[in-house]
Amino acid sequence: MPTLPQGWVRDYLFAANGYEKDMDFYAAEGNYVAPLPFHSMGEYPYPTKKSFPLDDAHLNYLLEYNTRHMSGNEQRGYWFDYGDRK
């Protein structure tokens, strides 16, 4: 990108069109990867008659990006242990 003239600043905008699923208390099944959200789901969590699409594009996404390494030392829960309170 070209150098800006003195006194000018450059701003950046990030636009995304998709879904984010975190481990928030209010997230549906936040401790698990599935069910994955998708554009034509209508509502989330989606009803049992709907499922994640299994066309080539979605299958490639699952195989390429939706992978997890399991070390065996994963955290079992996210509750804070205050210890022995007397």
Side-chain angles (χ1 to χ4, degrees), residues 20-32 75 77-78:
E20 169 271 332
K21 183 175 178 181
D22 59 19
M23 296 181 73
D24 186 88
F25 177 77
Y26 298 104
E29 302 293 336
N31 286 336
Y32 303 97
Q75 191 163 336
Y78 296 93

Side-chain angles (χ1 to χ4, degrees), residues 18-22 28 32-46 51-53 58 61-62 66:
Y19 297 93
E20 169 271 332
K21 183 175 178 181
D22 59 19
Y32 303 97
V33 173
L36 290 171
F38 57 97
H39 278 286
S40 63
M41 66 186 170
E43 60 185 283
Y44 189 82
Y46 39 86
S51 64
F52 189 78
H58 286 88
Y61 162 76
L62 291 174
N66 205 24

Side-chain angles (χ1 to χ4, degrees), residues 11 37 75 79:
D11 290 327
Q75 191 163 336
W79 296 271

Side-chain angles (χ1 to χ4, degrees), residues 2 6 8 12 17 24 26 31 35 37 54-56 59-60 62 66-69 71-72 75 77-78 80 85:
Q6 186 165 350
W8 286 32
Y12 297 92
N17 182 4
D24 186 88
Y26 298 104
N31 286 336
L54 295 178
D55 56 26
D56 285 348
L59 284 174
N60 286 336
L62 291 174
N66 205 24
T67 60
R68 303 290 183 270
H69 169 73
S71 69
Q75 191 163 336
Y78 296 93
F80 185 77
R85 299 192 305 176

Side-chain angles (χ1 to χ4, degrees), residues 1 10 17 40 65 74 78 83:
M1 294 179 72
R10 187 171 277 132
N17 182 4
S40 63
Y65 297 105
E74 287 72 33
Y78 296 93

